[in-house]
Amino acid sequence: MGKALIIGCGGVASVAIHKCVQNSEVFEEICIASRTKSKCDALKEKLDGGKTKITTAQVDADNVDELIALIEEVKPDIVMNLALPYQDLTIMDACLATKTHYMDTANYEPEDTAKFEYKWQWEYRERFEKAGITALLGSGFDPGVTGVFSAYALKHHFDEIEYIDILDCNAGDHGYPFATNFNPEINIREVSANGRYWENGEWIETKPMEIKRVYNFPEVGEKDMYLLYHEELESLAVNIPGLKRIRFFMTFGQSYLTHLKCLENVGMTSIEPIEFEGKQIIPLQFLKAVLPDPASLGPRTKGKTNIGCIFKGKKDGKEKTYYVYNVCDHEECYKEVGSQAVSYTTGVPAMIGAAMIMTGKWNKPGVYNIEEFDPDPFMDALNKWGLPWKESFDPELVDSEPVKSVE
Ligand code: NDP
């Protein structure tokens, strides 16, 4: 059917690329391009021999001219941005210049301020519309599948959704005292920022990890979870009409939190440059260099993830609750694609999102968050490509548990 240019060759990209190769009817050809070409070549060597033709390239995705030259050479139907959030705008600029569809899994963030906002990417709406190309924003799991779940709940189960709680549980154990499951810099920026949720048309800010709940996750068991700001809250608050409150919770073990606190206290999570032996370094980037590479966690991680959304609202005048979630097993993911479940749950939806655009199932010029498209073909594809979902019409609600203060 077509050709994709995939930018980035890290944890998430590796899974997405395995899945593109499995879905060779849609992805007849892929070009893997990243800063470190040797990683792209190693993956090509591992996956070559199937129906999908694979090529590789070196690119600095911070450089628009380099990107344009690469897109003009490869002539893809879509650019899959699986690099880092810092590259979103340069890649969108290159897509505009070459009239090529775009997708990503994380919203733009300036490198020098930990600020997650869609405003920069939403500013491209008119230009994408005029160019007749589609930008699909946030096609990972969260953001991504959580938005598709929301659109699906609204389409099939509710007249009005009033409350959404997004619950992200990773009960995996990698055996290290401290490591992050995806890019450490992005992960630590996210969890050390203030929490925030949206209620009655306003954002309510909390201190990092201030709000804690305990939840009994299906197939995983009871876990502590903490309220965080997460980027899909911004778009869902706009795109789900009548919404009164939306929150996001993520589970963390005590060891992770204790290490993080200690690293914060000594200044290692800072993104302010410091002078070290005559060189400017950013403590968080240095920390990333000494922490285990998330890709190395794959063979060591055991246990499951459970990510989903609990909805409360009205159907035919009656109150209704609905929980839809996916459970993913770290060891099974590793067996299939050589990565743990955090990369798997992001890489699979990235492939599906690109396939939705390449097959024309999702095709409207402009810049859109994932919940603005018809969720049905994506929900079917999740079942087909390794992230089957389950539902409950009588779930435990988050606030039925007592509020526990943070130790
Ligand atoms: P990794 O750090 O494992 O991979 C990032 C890749 O991007 C690397 O291959 C890196 O190259 C490449 N890269 C970085 N900068 C550039 C550049 N300037 N030019 C070209 N290539 C570059 O990250 P992950 O795979 O863990 O994460 C990828 C994305 O997925 C991130 O944006 C992350 O926020 C997002 N994500 C989304 C989730 C969701 O559910 N929506 C969940 C998890 C992650 P090199 O090898 O040279 O460093």
Side-chain angles (χ1 to χ4, degrees), residues 60-89:
D60 175 4
D62 291 322
N63 183 320
V64 181
D65 292 338
E66 261 188 48
L67 286 165
I68 293 175
L70 179 64
I71 297 172
E72 280 174 347
E73 186 194 323
V74 175
K75 298 191 175 48
D77 299 293
I78 188 166
V79 175
M80 297 171 64
N81 169 13
L82 304 178
L84 296 177
Y86 319 130
Q87 280 86 46
D88 288 5
L89 301 188

Side-chain angles (χ1 to χ4, degrees), residues 160-176:
E160 199 172 3
I161 295 176
E162 293 169 326
Y163 300 96
I164 305 178
D165 280 329
I166 302 172
L167 272 46
D168 179 335
C169 165
N170 178 8
D173 181 8
H174 46 58
Y176 286 118

Side-chain angles (χ1 to χ4, degrees), residues 6-25:
I6 299 163
I7 299 185
C9 193
V12 171
S14 165
V15 176
I17 292 162
H18 275 82
K19 287 290 169 179
C20 289
V21 170
Q22 286 179 17
N23 190 4
S24 58
E25 239 174 68

Side-chain angles (χ1 to χ4, degrees), residues 7-14 33-37 39 58-63 81-88 104-107 109 138-144 168 181-184 186 190 230-231 288 293-295 307 342-343 345-346:
I7 299 185
C9 193
V12 171
S14 165
S34 191
R35 188 167 51 188
T36 314
K37 184 167 175 284
K39 287 191 193 167
Q58 201 278 331
V59 74
D60 175 4
D62 291 322
N63 183 320
N81 169 13
L82 304 178
L84 296 177
Y86 319 130
Q87 280 86 46
D88 288 5
D104 65 31
T105 65
N107 71 9
E109 198 184 328
S139 188
F141 206 107
D142 43 344
D168 179 335
N181 290 295
F182 66 99
N183 186 294
I186 307 293
E190 182 174 87
H230 222 242
E231 61 199 55
K288 175 179 180 234
D293 176 0
I307 320 175
V342 175
S343 301
T345 52
T346 312

